[in-house]
Amino acid sequence: ESLQSIKAPDTYERSSAIAKTLVKSLTAVVTSTASVPKQRERKRSKASLSVDELVEGLRSDLVEREYLWSGDINSELYAEDCIFSDPTLKFEGLATFERNLESLEPFLKRFAPASQRRVSLVDLFVDSEKKFVEACWRMVGDLALPWRPRLELDGRTRFTYGDDGRIIMYDEAWTNLNA
């Protein structure tokens, strides 16, 4: 059973304007104060990816690198003009996504140390006809704050891919958030 059937997901379109504004503002503050180098021209190791390579890369990003917590993604999987959305943000460009992740990394390491967090991959499936891979996942972490809150988030990410096998749309939705 997919996590989608548990509860209607929170998506960018369904999120409140207040939540979007708050997260967008916080992200802008973090990214504006961080010293992240400008993206140079990217050299691709391959002209295109097979669906199997994409799926394996996504599995590795989710399970091994726990990118939802670490921000560590394999940029080879994404198109330069990929559109990214979650329930609070929507923007275009792999370089912007990487800049946001790099800017958040010090905060993630400080407040969600690797020993206190995990990502579980619940399901990963491919729809070759509609050209997407969907991952259902659960992330849990004990945050390094004085009151030691636990964040538990169930969600799904749909990765729509283009003709070259790279992700052109990243759409994250949350089905259950407990903090």
Side-chain angles (χ1 to χ4, degrees), residues 143-169:
L143 304 182
L145 295 168
W147 62 97
R148 306 286 299 155
R150 171 169 274 218
L151 175 74
E152 297 181 46
L153 179 61
D154 296 326
R156 68 107 185 113
T157 308
R158 179 172 288 183
F159 304 91
T160 304
Y161 56 90
D163 293 336
D164 67 353
R166 288 196 169 79
I167 299 163
I168 58 172
M169 172 65 110

Side-chain angles (χ1 to χ4, degrees), residues 79-146:
E80 293 299 327
D81 59 353
C82 183
I83 296 170
F84 295 87
S85 69
D86 71 18
T88 58
L89 290 172
K90 187 172 187 174
F91 56 88
E92 183 176 337
L94 175 56
T96 302
F97 187 54
E98 290 173 317
R99 186 174 58 249
N100 290 350
L101 293 173
E102 289 172 14
S103 298
L104 291 171
E105 184 181 19
F107 297 97
L108 292 171
K109 283 184 176 180
R110 167 67 181 98
F111 296 110
S115 63
Q116 300 297 309
R117 65 179 197 230
R118 73 177 185 283
V119 174
S120 302
L121 183 59
V122 176
D123 192 16
L124 187 66
F125 63 94
V126 177
D127 186 324
S128 299
E129 188 176 301
K130 294 183 180 174
K131 296 176 84 167
F132 71 79
V133 178
E134 188 162 283
C136 296
W137 44 263
R138 177 173 178 78
M139 59 187 291
V140 177
D142 295 318
L143 304 182
L145 295 168

Side-chain angles (χ1 to χ4, degrees), residues 4-84:
Q4 299 164 317
S5 62
I6 296 171
K7 180 185 164 203
D10 289 330
T11 61
Y12 182 78
E13 289 75 19
R14 291 173 40 117
S15 293
S16 73
I18 293 170
K20 290 178 199 175
T21 301
L22 178 64
V23 171
K24 191 175 281 191
S25 298
L26 289 171
T27 301
V29 167
V30 169
T31 57
S32 71
T33 60
S35 59
V36 178
K38 292 279 186 200
Q39 180 70 37
R40 293 184 301 253
E41 187 165 328
R42 189 180 315 273
K43 302 234 190 277
R44 299 289 190 170
S45 64
K46 300 177 87 174
S48 63
L49 302 173
S50 70
V51 173
D52 288 342
E53 290 171 317
L54 176 61
V55 168
E56 186 49 43
L58 291 171
R59 183 182 313 281
S60 180
D61 275 1
L62 284 155
V63 176
E64 295 167 25
R65 287 191 288 284
E66 294 187 325
Y67 87 90
L68 291 165
W69 280 114
S70 69
D72 185 12
I73 63 163
N74 177 353
S75 59
E76 189 72 26
L77 304 178
Y78 296 85
E80 293 299 327
D81 59 353
C82 183
I83 296 170
F84 295 87

